[in-house]
Amino acid sequence: QRSPLLPLLLLLLLVSCCFCHSPFYIMSILEYNGAAMIAMAGKDCVGIASDHRLGLQQQTVATDFIKVFPMSDRIYVGLAGLATDVQTLNQLLKFRMQLYALREEREMSPQVFSHLLSTLLYEKRFGPYFVEPIVAGLGDDGKPFLSGSDLIGATVKDDAFVVSGTCTGNLYGMCESLYKP
């Protein structure tokens, strides 16, 4: 005869495995290479920073892996996630920026770039790029623009800071305690 507490015990075991990083912990593919990325806005300026570590789970492979890319003089994109998708999406975004410049004969604004990125990610929603991008830039009026998105292109815009990567909880805590507008 089955105990009525068995489903509850199994649920507690599953939850404890997920939060204790035991051998039964199931890792997200977004955590495979690791990343820590932050973008902050100041008075008529933005800053974006990331780590340079390329890892394979707990093992460090390289310490010179670039995750923040200049798209124009006023737009930077940070790509946290699977290393192969970071490189692929960077090349695709540069191609789309050049195509936009040829067709429209003008530079892309950060807002338009964020929409382009969101559309690119949403197009691949059934086989997504495993990245969580951050866009930081200055608009035509010199106002800071920050946005972040998930791997299927759901965008969030913020006036203060945006974080991404495997340690977002820690970064949010630091930003909320130290950021002063």
Side-chain angles (χ1 to χ4, degrees), residues 71-102:
M71 292 290 126
S72 71
D73 293 340
R74 297 171 149 293
I75 302 171
Y76 282 82
V77 64
L79 302 170
L82 193 61
T84 54
D85 288 347
V86 166
Q87 293 171 339
T88 302
L89 195 57
N90 174 41
Q91 292 173 354
L92 183 60
L93 288 170
K94 285 182 179 177
F95 169 73
R96 291 286 179 101
M97 286 280 293
Q98 292 170 353
L99 196 59
Y100 182 89
L102 283 174

Side-chain angles (χ1 to χ4, degrees), residues 8 10 12 26 29 34 40 43 53-54 57 60 80 90 93 95-96 105 109 115 122 131 142 152 156 163 165 175 181:
L8 182 61
L10 288 175
L12 287 174
I26 300 172
I29 193 67
M40 281 190 166
K43 185 175 186 276
R53 179 185 176 271
L54 173 65
Q57 296 176 349
T60 299
N90 174 41
L93 288 170
F95 169 73
R96 291 286 179 101
E105 297 179 356
S109 70
H115 288 290
Y122 189 71
V131 295
I152 60 167
V156 60
V163 300
C175 290

Side-chain angles (χ1 to χ4, degrees), residues 124-167:
K124 294 282 198 174
R125 66 188 174 276
F126 298 116
Y129 294 112
F130 293 107
V131 295
E132 294 176 329
I134 290 179
V135 176
L138 293 174
D140 296 331
D141 55 353
K143 297 289 182 190
F145 176 82
L146 298 175
S147 74
S149 125
D150 65 358
L151 68 158
I152 60 167
T155 306
V156 60
K157 296 176 179 76
D158 200 338
D159 296 330
F161 57 86
V162 181
V163 300
S164 181
T166 55
C167 60

